Amino acid sequence: MVTKKIGIMTTGGDCSGLNTVIQRITDGCIRRKWQIIGIQDGTDGLYSSPAKTIDLSDMNFLFANSYSSGSILANGNENATNFESAARAGKLNAFNKRLQKSLKDLGLDALILIGGNGSLSLAHLYKEIYSDLQLVCIPKTMDLDIPLTDKTIGFDTAVQQLSYYAEQLLLIARSHHRWFVIQTMGRACGSLALNAGVAVGADAILIPEVKFDVDNLVKHIKKSNRDYGIIMVSEAISIRGHSGKPADMISRALTKANIPNRTAFPEHIQRAGNTVASDRILASGFADTALKAIENNETNVMTVLQNGEYKTVSLSDFFDAGRKVKDPHIVGVMTSNRYVEPDDVLLQIATDMGIYIGEKRK
Ligand code: F6P
């Protein structure tokens, strides 16, 4: 039997499901008699000398935490040393070399990097960091903005969290005959708002991928046969000539039209919560696929779920497949993003449910 040493690292924003995938990978490694370590605090921990690591073979601790939100490995804080801060200081090359050296010093055969579209794009662009080992990535994000995979770890739990939050507000809305404008996370991708909006039967869902008209939104609300409800507003929408938070902009327009309303900001509660069963299954599928990819000597790949099938795709295919957007923090770097497509079946379902979803798919 070939013995291997595997590292796991979580980077970027956390989400529920990270601990499940860490636990499933660890379990798979132990059954294969491979050594397994966790790198703490993402690239900050890898950059440290020596790198900050923990032995993950204490399964009792992992087991007790495997369905809780956050990452037991931690993802680093905003003042941490990472690609962004290194780029700002003009030290990206030195930073990348140090990460490469750290991985070598740890003696890893493979690194499983659990990250979002920013981390995966950087892994593709700076692949030399991982040239001495096998790199297998696992897509996680509550935003579902990673191309080539139908699901990302954390998305379903975020939809559940947001739906639960909205349902609670709906009861208050009813007793006060008012509307709640809920501003969702999701960055530039409307998937979270769209899915949770359909789940709770919102009256309107505004997402960045669909052009909307505030007057038509007001008309829709006034025509409604109820005097209370939910308007789900994605954090990335904008209205020409208006500034401020998207939920506040919509709320002002409703108030002007004499529609009683309040705003609500669930914020990081959307990223919290016990991991739902479908995210646990996804985490198990991705962990299994990642370990098999290591056995097959694959590198620079990402696990995906496509039409019910778990497999890997190359990081270059992931990068080529998405719409490229300038990295907000690193000049000259592009990230590969996915959005709600015009043919997304939920747009039609929402329309058929009588939900105001906007005018024209962009
Ligand atoms: O990408 C995940 C996410 O939760 C986004 O939906 C949100 O815009 C952002 O991260 C919030 O980031 P932070 O936790 O740094 O405020």
Side-chain angles (χ1 to χ4, degrees), residues 12-15 78 116-117 140-145 184-189 192 235 267-268 270-271:
D14 65 18
C15 59
E78 46 208 30
N117 58 6
K140 65 85 207 169
T141 168
M142 61 171 286
D143 303 331
L144 194 59
D145 58 357
T184 78
M185 282 187 168
R187 292 195 200 273
C189 177
L192 177 63
E235 65 178 343
E267 298 278 0
H268 293 80
Q270 294 161 94
R271 262 167 44 183

Side-chain angles (χ1 to χ4, degrees), residues 5-19:
K5 185 173 179 188
I6 312 296
I8 311 180
M9 181 163 84
T10 54
T11 55
D14 65 18
C15 59
S16 195
L18 294 178
N19 294 330

Side-chain angles (χ1 to χ4, degrees), residues 70-328:
S71 169
I72 55 154
L73 296 177
N75 292 15
N77 66 48
E78 46 208 30
N79 301 318
T81 314
N82 52 30
F83 289 102
E84 288 81 2
S85 61
R88 266 197 311 274
K91 294 183 175 158
L92 203 45
N93 266 342
F95 176 75
N96 289 356
K97 287 213 166 86
R98 173 88 158 257
L99 295 189
Q100 184 181 3
K101 182 174 180 314
S102 273
L103 289 168
K104 219 173 171 180
D105 290 347
L106 288 170
L108 295 179
D109 294 294
L111 175 72
I112 300 181
L113 173 65
I114 306 165
N117 58 6
S119 302
L120 302 191
S121 297
L122 287 168
H124 169 64
L125 296 171
Y126 301 136
K127 52 173 89 55
E128 65 279 2
I129 296 171
Y130 311 98
S131 53
D132 301 311
L133 44 62
Q134 288 172 260
L135 174 68
V136 177
C137 298
I138 292 183
K140 65 85 207 169
T141 168
M142 61 171 286
D143 303 331
L144 194 59
D145 58 357
I146 299 182
L148 288 189
T149 184
D150 297 342
K151 278 287 166 71
T152 55
I153 289 173
F155 177 71
D156 280 359
T157 306
V159 172
Q160 176 63 31
Q161 287 287 110
L162 181 55
S163 302
Y164 179 71
Y165 180 98
E167 266 163 40
Q168 303 303 302
L169 292 182
L170 195 52
L171 300 176
I172 297 172
R174 186 177 58 180
S175 61
H176 285 275
H177 309 285
R178 65 164 66 130
W179 297 78
F180 269 100
V181 184
I182 303 178
Q183 182 173 312
T184 78
M185 282 187 168
R187 292 195 200 273
C189 177
S191 286
L192 177 63
L194 178 60
N195 279 263
V198 168
V200 296
D203 294 85
I205 306 171
L206 307 181
I207 60 174
E209 292 92 337
V210 183
K211 256 199 178 117
F212 61 90
D213 180 284
V214 176
D215 292 337
N216 286 345
L217 169 69
V218 166
K219 272 188 214 146
H220 180 85
I221 299 294
K222 289 204 155 165
K223 260 191 3 218
S224 160
N225 52 12
R226 276 185 283 109
D227 59 358
Y228 67 94
I230 298 291
I231 297 159
M232 211 60 107
V233 172
S234 170
E235 65 178 343
I237 63 150
S238 55
I239 312 179
R240 198 189 289 248
H242 290 253
S243 59
K245 292 182 178 173
D248 290 336
M249 293 191 275
I250 299 300
S251 169
R252 280 197 296 270
L254 298 185
T255 304
K256 209 165 140 205
N258 289 320
I259 300 171
N261 71 90
R262 294 286 188 277
T263 53
F265 298 88
E267 298 278 0
H268 293 80
I269 287 294
Q270 294 161 94
R271 262 167 44 183
N274 255 16
T275 308
V276 298
S278 55
D279 264 330
R280 299 179 195 191
I281 295 167
L282 186 70
S284 309
F286 280 168
D288 184 49
T289 309
L291 292 171
K292 283 182 178 147
I294 294 171
E295 284 172 329
N296 291 336
N297 288 319
E298 294 178 38
T299 189
N300 296 326
V301 292
M302 165 181 117
T303 63
V304 294
L305 177 66
Q306 290 180 350
N307 301 319
E309 189 193 350
Y310 287 99
K311 56 183 186 178
T312 54
V313 296
S314 69
L315 282 180
S316 64
D317 282 352
F318 143 79
F319 192 75
D320 292 345
R323 230 178 294 162
K324 308 301 174 301
V325 175
K326 280 186 188 155
D327 186 300

